[in-house]
Amino acid sequence: MKYSAEDRDNIPPVRGSEEELYQKGKKISSDNDTEKAKNDTVKDKEAGTDSDKSSEDNEPLEDNLENYTKNIFVKLKNEREQIKKRTKNMSSSERFKYIFYYYKWTIFFTFLGILFIAYVISLIYENTRPVGFSYAIVNSYDISNDTNTQIVDDFLKEYGLDKGYKVDSLKDVTLNKQALESGSDEATTYKYMSFSTYCDNDYFDIVFTDLDGLKICAFNGQAHPTEEIISADNMAKCSDRLVTVLGKDGRDAVYGIDVSDIPAIAAMNLRYKKVYLCFPGDSERNITTANNFLTYLLSLQ
């Protein structure tokens, strides 16, 4: 049968086709919902597994350490029993050779570990001890082992600072104007820079120096006027020993104390006969130590 264009426009829609499409769409939607539910279930299981793992990982640290320690002791105990069985019928020398042969690397590395731990402990102890005395020796050129610092040891012992305290020192510091201006000696330059830094940070209690070193320390601000550090009582006792030089502010002031005639100072074997003390640090500890040291020195004359 043939239809005209007008008839075709008036043909009603085929409801069966739409119904089929609807059913197909419904099925697809249902399949998608089912797949989504499966995925959600899998995610929930995975989340539960992760939660279980997390709870296992979050066991108390003490329990883990305790178990680990127990395992180590069990292994060591088993190892000892095995060694006893293997060496039961051996003589002492054979037993020693056997243990050394099979466990030499264990023994070696254990020994190294003990040495390393001992070194670290000693290093920590050395660096954490309070400072008992800190000093520098200036312009004693080519200072060597014959320099006698017994006066320092005696002072520390007198004031109970010989145990539990450390002594810091910087020796062979050059404060010679000509050498500093030339800058030819790198070691001299380095020590001078270190000395300056230490003086700025109240590192030294006392500086042993000749007159040239005293003048440079005063002029560069590396020493404080004596009256700022030394007590009035000690200043009075040293009235005939005070040395006046030009300071950083351009004015003359007392910056040093002449201790050349004290036998313990002469015994230090410095490279000059005239020995002076000056005082770079002005912290409470610096002031107390400087006054105690000067008091001790004056008691020896």
Side-chain angles (χ1 to χ4, degrees):
M1 181 181 292
K2 294 182 179 181
Y3 296 94
S4 64
E6 184 178 354
D7 293 332
R8 283 197 298 270
D9 293 337
N10 294 325
I11 295 175
V14 180
R15 305 305 299 175
S17 298
E18 290 183 3
E19 183 66 23
E20 289 177 2
L21 291 175
Y22 172 75
Q23 292 298 332
K24 287 181 179 180
K26 186 176 180 182
K27 182 179 181 182
I28 292 171
S29 176
S30 177
D31 292 342
N32 288 339
D33 292 341
T34 303
E35 186 67 23
K36 182 178 180 182
K38 289 181 179 179
N39 292 336
D40 292 342
T41 302
V42 171
K43 289 180 180 179
D44 291 340
K45 289 182 178 180
E46 291 177 351
T49 303
D50 292 340
S51 177
D52 293 340
K53 289 181 178 179
S54 177
S55 62
E56 291 175 0
D57 293 339
N58 290 330
E59 289 182 2
L61 180 60
E62 292 80 1
D63 292 345
N64 290 335
L65 290 175
E66 184 179 355
N67 292 333
Y68 180 73
T69 305
K70 286 181 179 178
N71 290 334
I72 290 177
F73 282 114
V74 169
K75 289 180 181 179
L76 290 175
K77 183 178 179 181
N78 293 336
E79 191 71 21
R80 285 197 300 270
E81 291 176 354
Q82 290 295 326
I83 293 174
K84 286 181 180 179
K85 289 180 181 179
R86 294 170 189 166
T87 61
K88 183 176 182 181
N89 299 322
M90 294 182 183
S91 64
S92 298
S93 60
E94 290 174 337
R95 188 179 296 111
F96 175 78
K97 291 177 181 179
Y98 172 84
I99 294 174
F100 183 78
Y101 180 80
Y102 285 100
Y103 298 96
K104 57 187 174 185
W105 292 114
T106 302
I107 295 171
F108 175 73
F109 286 113
T110 300
F111 180 70
L112 284 183
I114 293 172
L115 286 180
F116 177 74
I117 292 172
Y119 170 75
V120 171
I121 292 174
S122 65
L123 194 64
I124 292 173
Y125 174 71
E126 288 293 329
N127 291 327
T128 55
R129 287 188 302 167
V131 177
F133 189 60
S134 181
Y135 67 96
I137 297 177
V138 168
N139 287 344
S140 188
Y141 309 108
D142 300 322
I143 197 167
S144 60
N145 292 330
D146 64 346
T147 299
N148 183 2
T149 57
Q150 184 63 42
I151 180 63
V152 174
D153 297 334
D154 293 342
F155 163 71
L156 293 173
K157 187 174 181 180
E158 177 70 18
Y159 281 84
L161 301 174
D162 54 330
K163 296 180 180 179
Y165 292 84
K166 63 179 179 179
V167 177
D168 290 333
S169 64
L170 185 63
K171 303 175 182 179
D172 196 17
V173 180
T174 299
L175 292 184
N176 178 282
K177 187 176 181 181
Q178 184 177 357
L180 292 175
E181 288 177 350
S182 65
S184 56
D185 189 345
E186 291 184 4
T188 296
T189 304
Y190 171 75
K191 285 191 175 182
Y192 173 73
M193 293 176 64
S194 299
F195 176 78
S196 299
T197 301
Y198 288 147
C199 288
D200 292 340
N201 290 280
D202 297 335
Y203 186 79
F204 298 119
D205 304 314
I206 300 284
V207 170
F208 300 92
T209 182
D210 60 359
L211 186 57
D212 287 341
L214 175 61
K215 289 179 179 179
I216 293 175
C217 282
F219 187 76
N220 290 342
Q222 294 163 341
H224 292 279
T226 306
E227 63 181 7
E228 294 182 5
I229 307 299
I230 302 304
S231 66
D233 184 42
N234 277 335
M235 288 287 285
K237 293 177 182 178
C238 299
S239 58
D240 58 338
R241 298 175 177 273
L242 304 178
V243 181
T244 300
V245 294
L246 185 65
K248 187 177 181 180
D249 58 0
R251 293 182 296 181
D252 289 337
V254 176
Y255 279 90
I257 297 177
D258 186 351
V259 292
S260 308
D261 62 327
I262 298 177
I265 295 296
M268 290 181 70
N269 296 325
L270 301 180
R271 299 299 184 264
Y272 36 80
K273 292 182 179 181
K274 298 293 287 185
V275 182
Y276 303 90
L277 301 182
C278 63
F279 311 97
D282 64 348
S283 70
E284 183 177 353
R285 189 193 68 79
N286 295 142
I287 293 173
T288 299
T289 305
N291 277 281
N292 288 342
F293 185 76
L294 184 58
T295 300
Y296 179 71
L297 275 183
L298 295 176
S299 69
L300 301 177
Q301 59 180 329

